[in-house]
């Protein structure tokens, strides 16, 4: 999805629901393991040695399966469906977007994923400019189409420029710029 | 001290890390909590126990209801007997109407912010949004006093105030009745803690009915009436009392409920009663309604109605489930002398998971929780499968996980089911019996319960995949910046799961394993549970009891873990090595010579060395200084040393010759939370030592401390927090000599299965679809 895609109006939204009645039935039942809250946490590390951002996304497996099933119009199980990785990457490419200081989007490449019972870890990598996380912007709409109240937390590590503030994404949020704390409020690990 | 003053400490290795200190608000983490906690009084003591004049209200309910299976609604009436055991006179009574949350104009609905319509919404979301017609909420039809005279009442969102004709004085009781009806919520459409599920394959419903009757709000010594509106997240707190509930349902339904069935002769067949009898003393669950019978029931049409009567004593709420689809199994279990009927109700869609794991999970939970808190006091414990993912009520809980249609299931579903049953059955202890206020403090029951859930899971099987409990699992949340302290009101918490479940559970686990040890902790935790069973604690009662019973001042721990959003990150900054100057020139000068020889030869020195030297050409230029070495031992040196020795006591001579190494380790507290410093030290001779320093080492300086280790050995390496027991967020600064620790990302990348080309090929296929 390119950044200049138009905002959808309501008619487009309705057209964007390609599910048939039969698909609806299993989607309804597929939310087997319920949790009472909707949360993901992501770590973005700037690695100056490889000039890359190393991205680790930790999310709930059942949320992911629900969203992938809807997009693929078939049942998806993260640990059994053969192309689950590719589907996941395609989805994450749509919802996780990085923008460099020059306002250009930086595409992330896929490293892989692993499932630990109900938690999925997704790993992506993106080329980093020498300025590291400075003036980078992120948009992360993970699962906001599923759940009101979905909270996506992104933390950063940048060994060169200090630790930026976390970013929190909720429904409706768009690009947010990575902010480094002012020197006077700098954390004590950078004397 | 005087005799030691002449000892010179030689710095052999020094890497000082001077940095400026600035005072920050959290720096007084060891300030006592008393100014934050409520002042102790005769209701709640300074030790954390109920005071000698502790009181709470009592409410008894007599309820009749008719469940309409045709249009999914409930028509009901109740007689409430309210015992005013408070010292106060009450002019009015507040009741909770939790179903009003589903009214179109409820605070819960009106305060919902807009969803994101810029991305593709789910059917689930769209259905919820478009469902503008559901006529939810309690329809109050009558409120009457004991004589049948109407009582004035006012409804304020999810609360109803009844005005009494004359004040209800202390020690008096009042009886009144309420009639109401409401439409049952479709849980699959609107997320709710109770409601129905429709099975279109067989045309039947499962009802899980909860938060369904007008319930007396809690009236307490610390907050008066608990009239926080029900917004959805803060569950509830209620008063204890006795319930008699008559549930009228289609005559082919099976009903499971809080309490004990009073009329089995009327509602159960002779076979079912006989099977229930067999369940007493059974070593595994006995089917009361078999899968085959349940499937036959699904095709039935009811011939009429039946009324199931339940009685429950000393409970704070009442819930039930009803369906013709239910398979029902039961196994009586002796919990420390209390014979409890553990029972499960589930549709065929729940098998094979439910028949295998549900009732067994109940029994396991009762065993473990009873050991850590108090003996489970109720006669039944029930787990029901239906539309609700996981929700607890006294003696009964609703749990969602089911296998696939083909009967297979993932490990996630299996462990998800066992975990959610442990969790929801565990809620009988917290907050159904230890009656904390969840509308105010979610953590008081969810945190304590998640902690015991973790202990129970680890006793279910080895390496059970618990999601919460291990300190390292909480690091992500604790290092995040957008969070609130645990001590935040339930509906205001941004991330309820990590905040109110995982973090307090982890904190208690750390308190148990690392701060107090199992013996002290388990005694104190049991003491808290027993002090407050069938009573209503507030956070201070928990904090105070844990200190009172363990004999350990934990104010710093509560302050850091429950009142701040700081995290744990302690770094091992440096290691300085000192030895004692023996003053013996033969020892010291030899050592200094050795050091000089070990100094590196620079590149220029090495290249200049073979060059012919001028003084070699003209040896007459050589003088005293060309042969003088200040590190050669002279008779004068030895004489001076003898003189020193003569002035020393034997004891002092021994100190000079003790051959001890003095290691000074410097630590910084980067994260803010003071924690014990746990060190694995390896010496050059292969010996190992673990050093556990209590967190009080930080009491005078929360940000930087040092520790002296005196040993005849030399240190080879040090690891800080070697067993990952403190939730230390950054392991990169936990080693001497420094050692980088790979991130999860880097470890995965090294071990990944598929190469990028394979992924790209798959991706192209997916994108083309």
């Amino acid at each position: 999805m390119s950044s200049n895609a138009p905002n959808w109006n309501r008619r487009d939204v309705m057209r964007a629901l390609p599910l048939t009645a039969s698909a609806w039935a299993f989607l309804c039942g597929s939310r087997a393991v319920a949790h009472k809250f909707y949360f993901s946490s992501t770590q973005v590390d700037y690695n100056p040695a490889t000039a890359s951002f190393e991205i680790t996304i930790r999310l709930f497996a059942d949320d992911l399966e629900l969203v992938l099933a809807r997009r693929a119009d078939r049942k998806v199980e993260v640990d059994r469906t053969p192309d689950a990785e590719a589907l996941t990457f395609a989805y994450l490419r749509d919802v996780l977007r990085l923008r460099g200081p020059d306002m250009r989007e930086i595409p992330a490449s896929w490293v892989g994923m692993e499932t630990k019972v109900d938690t999925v870890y997704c790993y992506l990598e993106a080329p980093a400019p020498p300025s590291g996380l400075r003036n980078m912007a992120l948009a992360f709409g993970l699962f906001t189409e599923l759940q009101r109240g979905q909270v996506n937390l992104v933390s950063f590590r940048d060994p060169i420029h200090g630790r930026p503030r976390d970013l929190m994404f909720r429904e409706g949020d768009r690009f947010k710029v990575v902010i480094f704390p002012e020197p006077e409020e700098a954390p004590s690990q950078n004397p | 001290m005087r005799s030691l003053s002449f000892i010179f400490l030689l710095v052999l290795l020094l890497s000082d890390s001077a940095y400026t200190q600035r005072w920050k608000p959290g720096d007084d983490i060891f300030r006592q909590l008393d100014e934050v906690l409520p002042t102790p009084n005769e209701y709640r003591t300074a030790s954390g126990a109920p005071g000698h004049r502790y009181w709470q209200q009592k409410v008894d309910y007599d309820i009749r209801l008719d469940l309409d299976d045709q249009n999914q609604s409930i028509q009901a009436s109740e007689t409430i007997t309210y015992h005013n055991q408070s010292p106060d006179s009450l002019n009015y009574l507040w009741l909770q109407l939790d179903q009003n949350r589903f009214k179109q104009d409820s605070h819960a609905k009106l305060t919902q912010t807009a969803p994101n319509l810029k991305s593709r919404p789910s059917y689930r979301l769209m259905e919820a949004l478009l469902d503008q017609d559901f006529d939810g909420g309690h329809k109050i039809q009558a409120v009457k006093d004991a004589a049948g005279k109407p009582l004035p009442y006012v409804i304020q969102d999810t609360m109803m105030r009844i005005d009494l004709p004359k004040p209800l004085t202390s020690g008096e009781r009042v009886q009144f009745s309420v009639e109401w009806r409401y439409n049952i919520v479709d849980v699959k459409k609107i997320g709710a803690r109770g409601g129905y599920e429709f099975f279109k394959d067989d045309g039947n419903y499962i009802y899980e009915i909860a938060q369904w009757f007008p319930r007396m709000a809690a009236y307490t010594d610390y907050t008066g009436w608990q009239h926080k509106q029900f917004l959805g997240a803060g569950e509830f707190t209620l008063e204890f009392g006795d319930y008699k509930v008559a549930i009228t349902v289609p005559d082919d339904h099976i009903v499971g409920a809080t309490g004990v069935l009073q009329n089995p002769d009327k509602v159960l067949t002779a076979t079912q009663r006989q099977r229930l009898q067999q369940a007493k003393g059974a070593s595994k669950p006995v089917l009361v309604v078999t899968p085959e019978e349940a499937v036959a029931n699904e095709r039935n049409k009811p011939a009429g109605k039946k009324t199931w009567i339940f009685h429950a004593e000393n409970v704070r709420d009442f819930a039930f489930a009803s369906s013709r689809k239910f398979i029902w199994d039961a196994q009586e279990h002796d919990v420390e002398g209390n014979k409890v009927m553990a029972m499960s109700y589930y549709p065929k869609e729940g098998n094979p998971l439910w028949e295998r794991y549900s009732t067994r999970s109940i029994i396991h939970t009762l065993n473990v929780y009873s050991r850590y808190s108090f003996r489970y006091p109720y006669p039944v414990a029930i787990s029901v499968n239906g539309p609700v993912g996981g929700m607890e009520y006294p003696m009964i809980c609703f749990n969602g996980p089911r296998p696939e249609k083909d009967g297979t299931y993932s490990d996630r579903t299996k462990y998800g089911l066992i975990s959610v049953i442990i969790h929801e059955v565990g809620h009988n202890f917290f907050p159904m019996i230890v009656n904390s206020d969840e509308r105010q403090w979610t953590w008081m029951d969810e945190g304590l319960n998640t902690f015991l859930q973790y202990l129970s899971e680890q006793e279910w099987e080895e390496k059970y995949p618990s999601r919460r409990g291990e300190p390292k699992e909480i690091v992500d949340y604790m290092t995040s910046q957008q969070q609130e302290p645990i001590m935040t009101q339930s509906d205001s918490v941004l991330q309820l799961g990590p905040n109110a479940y995982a973090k307090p559970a982890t904190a208690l686990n750390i308190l148990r394993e690392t701060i107090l040890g199992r013996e002290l902790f388990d005694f104190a935790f049991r003491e808290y549970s027993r002090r407050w069973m069938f009573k209503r604690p507030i956070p201070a009662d928990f904090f105070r009891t844990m200190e009172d019973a363990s004999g350990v001042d934990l104010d710093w721990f509560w302050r850091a873990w429950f009142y701040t959003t700081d995290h744990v990150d302690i770094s091992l900054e440096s290691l300085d090595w000192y030895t004692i100057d023996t003053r013996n020139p033969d020892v010291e000068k030899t050592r200094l010579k050795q050091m000089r020889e070990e100094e590196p030869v620079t590149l220029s020195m090495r290249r200049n060395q073979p060059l012919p030297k001028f003084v070699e050409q003209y040896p007459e230029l050589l003088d005293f200084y060309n042969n003088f070495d200040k590190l050669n031992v002279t008779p004068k040196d030895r004489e001076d040393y003898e003189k020193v020795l003569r002035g020393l006591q034997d004891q002092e001579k021994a100190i000079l010759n003790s051959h001890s190494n003095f290691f000074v380790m410097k630590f910084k507290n980067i994260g803010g939370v003071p924690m014990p410093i746990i060190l694995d030290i390896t010496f050059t001779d292969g010996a190992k030592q673990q050093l556990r320093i209590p967190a009080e080492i930080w009491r005078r300086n929360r940000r930087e401390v040092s520790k002296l280790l005196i040993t005849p050995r030399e240190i080879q390496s040090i690891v800080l927090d070697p067993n990952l027991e403190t939730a230390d967020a950054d392991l990169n600064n936990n080693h001497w000599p420094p050692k980088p620790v790979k991130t999860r990302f880097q470890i995965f990348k090294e071990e990944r299965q598929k190469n990028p080309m394979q992924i790209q090929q798959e991706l192209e296929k997916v994108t083309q679809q």
Side-chain angles (χ1 to χ4, degrees):
Chain A
M1 195 186 295
S2 73
S3 59
N4 56 4
N7 289 336
W8 292 348
N9 61 32
R10 183 186 286 177
R11 219 182 49 164
D12 286 337
V13 169
M14 296 312 292
R15 239 194 273 134
L17 294 168
L19 291 186
T20 60
S22 63
W24 168 225
F26 76 72
L27 288 185
C28 225
S30 73
R31 199 172 185 81
V33 183
H35 43 91
K36 294 183 192 173
F37 36 84
Y38 305 95
F39 178 68
S40 76
S41 65
T42 296
Q43 181 72 42
V44 179
D45 290 347
Y46 168 52
N47 185 340
T50 57
S52 64
F53 296 121
E54 299 172 344
I55 304 166
T56 304
I57 304 168
R58 178 170 152 176
L59 46 81
F60 284 116
D62 57 341
D63 292 333
L64 183 63
E65 289 180 348
L66 193 58
V67 95
L68 297 185
R70 224 188 60 213
R71 287 165 60 100
D73 205 1
R74 60 187 154 90
K75 188 185 176 87
V76 178
E77 290 168 287
V78 286
D79 42 2
R80 291 204 278 194
T81 306
D83 60 351
E85 264 197 77
L87 290 169
T88 303
F89 179 36
Y91 172 62
L92 289 177
R93 228 172 27 175
D94 284 351
V95 293
L96 174 68
R97 292 156 68 192
L98 301 169
R99 208 165 64 187
D102 57 359
M103 303 298 277
R104 283 212 193 122
E105 285 212 23
I106 301 176
S109 59
W110 184 250
V111 175
M113 66 195 275
E114 58 181 333
T115 307
K116 293 272 160 79
V117 192
D118 59 353
T119 305
V120 178
Y121 295 87
C122 302
Y123 304 97
L124 293 97
E125 204 168 15
S131 51
L133 283 160
R134 277 214 178 277
N135 299 316
M136 286 292 297
L138 253 86
F140 195 28
L142 185 81
F143 304 147
T144 49
E145 68 273 54
L146 284 184
Q147 288 301 340
R148 316 174 117 194
Q150 172 76 31
V151 175
N152 300 315
L153 192 70
V154 185
S155 308
F156 303 92
R157 272 195 293 248
D158 184 332
I160 307 286
H161 306 94
R163 187 184 168 193
R165 292 210 186 104
D166 290 353
L167 292 178
M168 189 168 69
F169 293 92
R170 314 180 77 175
E171 58 191 1
D173 287 347
R174 311 190 74 185
F175 274 99
K176 292 186 177 184
V177 178
V178 177
I179 298 168
F180 287 81
E182 295 300 312
E184 59 265 29
E185 52 169 312
S188 54
Q189 67 262 44
N190 300 304
Chain B
M1 291 306 290
R2 187 194 54 82
S3 61
L4 281 173
S5 63
F6 64 87
I7 295 179
F8 299 97
L9 290 175
L10 275 180
V11 180
L12 294 183
L13 180 88
L14 183 74
S15 64
D16 200 18
S17 61
Y19 69 102
T20 51
Q21 291 245 358
R22 268 164 305 162
W23 187 88
K24 288 208 284 187
D27 277 354
D28 52 353
I29 200 81
F30 283 88
R31 194 170 67 204
Q32 294 291 282
L33 264 189
D34 304 59
E35 63 195 39
V36 180
L37 302 181
T39 308
N41 55 39
E42 51 204 351
Y43 311 129
R44 294 164 194 279
T45 70
S47 70
H52 69 279
R53 295 185 67 191
Y54 176 84
W55 58 268
Q56 64 189 15
Q57 308 294 58
K58 181 173 191 290
V59 192
D60 299 324
Y61 294 84
D62 189 340
I63 314 179
R64 295 168 177 281
L65 76 111
D66 201 319
L67 174 72
D68 188 336
D69 191 30
Q70 293 306 308
N71 55 26
Q72 290 69 56
S73 65
I74 280 177
Q75 173 68 48
S77 66
E78 65 183 350
T79 300
I80 295 177
T81 308
Y82 188 80
H83 306 260
N84 182 12
Q85 303 183 150
S86 80
D88 314 325
S89 287
L90 304 173
N91 295 342
Y92 46 80
L93 305 176
W94 280 103
L95 283 80
Q96 290 181 345
L97 307 178
D98 279 8
Q99 287 297 319
N100 281 4
R101 178 192 156 203
F102 302 110
K103 285 172 73 169
Q104 296 297 343
D105 60 352
S106 70
H107 287 193
K109 266 206 151 162
L110 290 173
T111 56
Q112 276 277 16
T113 51
N116 180 9
L117 294 182
K118 294 197 177 75
S119 58
R120 295 155 45 134
S122 65
Y123 270 114
R124 186 187 157 108
L125 175 65
M126 290 309 288
E127 270 213 288
L129 288 179
L130 291 172
D131 195 31
Q132 308 282 341
D133 304 325
F134 177 69
D135 185 14
H138 284 288
K139 325 279 177 217
I140 302 296
Q141 296 161 324
V143 180
K144 294 176 193 162
D145 67 11
K149 245 179 68 188
L151 283 170
Y153 64 89
V154 172
I155 293 173
Q156 151 68 359
D157 198 37
T158 63
M159 302 293 298
M160 174 165 78
R161 193 190 72 223
I162 297 180
D163 298 333
L164 299 172
K166 66 180 180 66
L168 179 65
T169 55
S170 176
E172 276 194 333
R173 63 181 192 177
V174 64
Q175 205 170 60
F176 61 96
S177 63
V178 183
E179 279 172 45
W180 77 98
R181 69 170 299 282
Y182 77 90
N183 294 319
I184 301 170
V185 170
D186 179 350
V187 178
K188 292 285 176 188
K189 209 191 272 184
I190 304 171
R193 292 190 162 78
Y196 71 79
E197 175 180 9
F198 177 62
F199 292 77
K200 73 173 178 8
D201 290 350
D202 53 65
N204 291 302
Y205 292 82
I206 287 179
Y207 298 92
E208 291 180 323
I209 303 300
Q211 296 175 243
W212 58 282
F213 57 96
R215 308 182 292 184
M216 287 304 308
Y219 182 77
T220 68
D221 59 288
Y222 59 87
T223 198
W225 287 104
Q226 166 52 286
H227 42 36
K228 282 201 161 35
Q229 298 291 346
F230 185 36
L231 296 175
E235 289 174 8
F236 54 86
T237 186
L238 296 163
E239 307 286 7
F240 287 104
D242 301 335
Y243 285 71
K244 189 184 153 209
V245 183
I247 303 168
T248 302
V249 294
D251 62 2
D252 54 353
H253 270 213
I254 293 291
V255 179
T258 304
V260 176
L261 180 62
Q262 300 297 299
N263 59 342
D265 296 354
K266 295 260 169 56
V267 293
L268 301 181
T269 65
T271 315
Q272 288 165 347
R273 292 199 301 273
Q274 190 209 334
R275 288 168 179 169
L276 268 177
Q277 204 57 39
Q278 280 170 18
K280 293 182 178 171
S283 58
K284 58 180 187 181
V286 172
L287 286 163
V288 183
V289 175
T290 66
E292 298 72 29
E293 290 162 351
V295 170
N297 283 348
E298 287 182 350
R299 297 190 208 105
N300 267 356
K301 283 287 159 260
K305 291 190 166 186
K306 268 186 188 170
T307 299
W308 299 57
I309 299 170
F310 290 89
H311 181 69
E313 279 176 19
N314 213 12
V315 289
R316 66 169 210 168
D317 196 10
F318 188 99
F320 68 94
S322 181
S323 178
R324 65 175 59 85
K325 286 177 67 70
F326 280 148
I327 301 164
W328 174 11
D329 72 41
Q331 180 186 347
E332 192 184 70
H333 180 67
D334 188 324
V335 185
E336 298 178 7
N338 181 30
K339 291 203 162 57
V340 182
M341 192 62 90
M343 301 190 283
S344 300
Y345 300 78
Y346 44 94
K348 63 177 189 298
E349 287 79 0
N351 270 339
L353 266 180
W354 273 72
E355 62 189 9
R356 194 173 295 159
Y357 292 119
S358 177
T359 298
R360 297 296 182 89
S361 303
I362 298 173
I363 288 171
H364 177 66
T365 309
L366 298 181
N367 285 343
V368 179
Y369 277 63
S370 293
R371 182 154 26 92
Y372 286 112
S373 55
F374 45 78
R375 183 179 76 175
Y376 182 71
Y378 291 136
V380 301
I382 294 171
S383 161
V384 182
N385 179 236
V388 178
M391 186 58 202
E392 68 279 9
Y393 297 96
M395 301 187 219
I396 188 169
C397 57
F398 307 148
N399 302 298
R402 282 178 195 153
E404 306 296 336
K405 278 201 168 130
D406 63 7
T408 64
Y409 49 83
S410 62
D411 60 342
R412 185 165 88 243
T413 307
K414 171 191 163 178
Y415 291 111
L417 176 68
I418 297 169
S419 286
V420 76
I421 293 176
I422 292 173
H423 184 91
E424 307 305 350
V425 172
H427 269 310
N428 275 297
F429 297 81
F430 308 92
M432 295 304 152
I433 294 169
V434 176
N435 186 9
S436 56
D437 182 351
E438 191 167 0
R439 196 150 293 179
Q440 180 66 35
W441 308 113
T442 297
W443 71 267
M444 281 200 78
D445 68 295
E446 297 296 358
L448 271 60
N449 184 34
T450 303
F451 163 66
L452 287 186
Q453 177 195 341
Y454 167 73
L455 298 186
S456 306
E457 287 170 352
Q458 294 307 312
E459 285 192 37
W460 176 274
E461 69 184 42
E462 206 179 5
K463 293 185 181 154
Y464 187 101
S466 295
R467 193 200 299 158
R468 307 194 183 101
E470 280 288 349
K472 63 184 164 67
E473 302 294 338
I474 199 66
V475 165
D476 275 4
Y477 177 66
M478 284 183 69
T479 52
S480 69
Q481 290 150 351
Q482 310 222 20
Q483 49 164 316
E484 309 81 6
I486 293 174
M487 288 292 288
T488 301
Q489 192 267 331
S490 305
D491 282 287
S492 312
V493 174
L494 274 175
Q495 302 142 27
L496 202 60
N499 178 290
Y501 292 63
K503 187 178 167 188
T506 311
L508 294 182
N509 195 29
I510 291 174
L511 197 57
R512 179 170 188 254
E513 300 285 23
T514 302
I515 314 279
L516 293 178
R518 291 188 174 191
E519 201 182 344
L520 284 182
F521 179 92
D522 290 352
F523 175 82
F525 190 82
R526 204 178 294 122
E527 179 68 14
Y528 165 76
S529 311
R530 291 177 186 190
R531 280 179 177 182
W532 289 98
M533 68 185 292
F534 295 118
K535 294 192 173 71
R536 181 180 278 118
I538 58 173
D541 299 321
F542 178 67
F543 297 149
R544 284 173 166 148
T545 297
M546 291 302 289
E547 296 192 4
D548 189 66
S550 69
V552 178
D553 178 1
L554 297 170
D555 280 19
W556 65 271
F557 185 82
W558 307 131
R559 194 181 277 283
W561 281 82
F562 288 74
Y563 287 87
T564 79
T565 55
D566 290 348
H567 65 278
V568 181
D569 180 11
I570 297 172
S571 70
L572 174 51
E573 288 289 305
S574 62
L575 178 69
D576 298 345
W577 181 13
Y578 305 82
T579 55
I580 299 171
D581 184 342
T582 61
R583 311 291 301 272
N584 181 344
D586 288 302
V587 173
E588 298 303 329
K589 288 198 162 175
T590 310
R591 189 179 52 75
L592 289 173
K593 266 188 177 169
Q594 196 184 332
M595 277 178 67
R596 188 173 62 188
E597 277 157 25
E598 283 168 3
E599 271 177 19
V601 180
T602 67
L603 182 65
S604 296
M605 276 166 76
R606 198 162 60 234
R607 287 179 178 166
N608 291 339
Q609 202 265 333
L611 298 181
K613 303 294 182 318
F614 190 71
V615 292
E616 282 167 7
Q617 208 176 333
Y618 305 98
E620 64 272 23
L621 296 180
L622 293 168
D623 76 346
F624 172 80
Y625 291 102
N626 291 92
N627 288 313
F628 176 70
D629 183 349
K630 64 178 178 182
L631 292 183
N632 282 341
V633 182
T634 65
K636 170 85 168 59
D637 289 339
R638 295 200 173 106
E639 208 173 287
D640 289 348
Y641 176 55
E642 287 305 318
K643 209 185 282 173
V644 168
L645 283 184
R646 279 197 295 277
L648 287 181
Q649 311 280 334
D650 286 351
Q651 203 185 336
E652 292 166 334
K653 286 180 199 160
I655 289 174
L656 282 191
N657 289 307
S658 64
H659 303 296
S660 287
N661 293 301
F662 293 71
F663 289 101
V664 176
M665 299 170 280
K666 283 193 180 157
F667 302 95
K668 268 200 330 199
N669 178 358
I670 294 167
V673 173
M675 286 296 275
I677 297 175
I678 298 144
L679 302 168
D680 263 0
I681 302 167
T682 306
F683 298 95
T684 48
D685 63 358
K688 286 175 195 295
Q689 180 189 352
Q690 185 165 89
L691 188 61
R692 300 180 73 90
I693 307 166
E696 281 78 2
I697 192 172
W698 302 101
R699 69 193 181 281
R700 293 211 175 83
N701 186 340
R702 181 207 182 188
R703 303 170 72 186
E704 189 184 41
V705 293
S706 57
K707 184 73 188 170
L708 174 65
L709 179 73
I710 302 169
T711 169
R713 300 192 167 97
E714 289 179 17
I715 291 179
Q716 186 173 58
S717 64
I718 304 174
V719 185
L720 174 64
D721 192 19
N723 310 315
L724 303 182
E725 56 186 294
T726 66
D728 196 317
D730 186 359
L731 302 179
N732 278 300
N733 53 28
N734 284 20
H735 293 265
W736 188 89
K739 182 176 149 190
V741 176
K742 282 180 185 157
T743 63
R744 185 174 194 108
F745 179 96
Q746 288 158 349
I747 292 168
F748 178 84
K749 199 177 169 186
E750 284 170 14
E751 295 170 356
R752 73 174 158 191
Q753 305 290 313
K754 292 183 181 175
N755 68 45
M757 269 177 76
Q758 289 169 324
I759 297 294
Q760 186 56 39
Q761 283 169 4
E762 280 180 18
L763 182 67
E764 278 159 17
K765 264 189 248 158
V766 166
T767 320
Q768 282 158 14
Q769 278 170 8

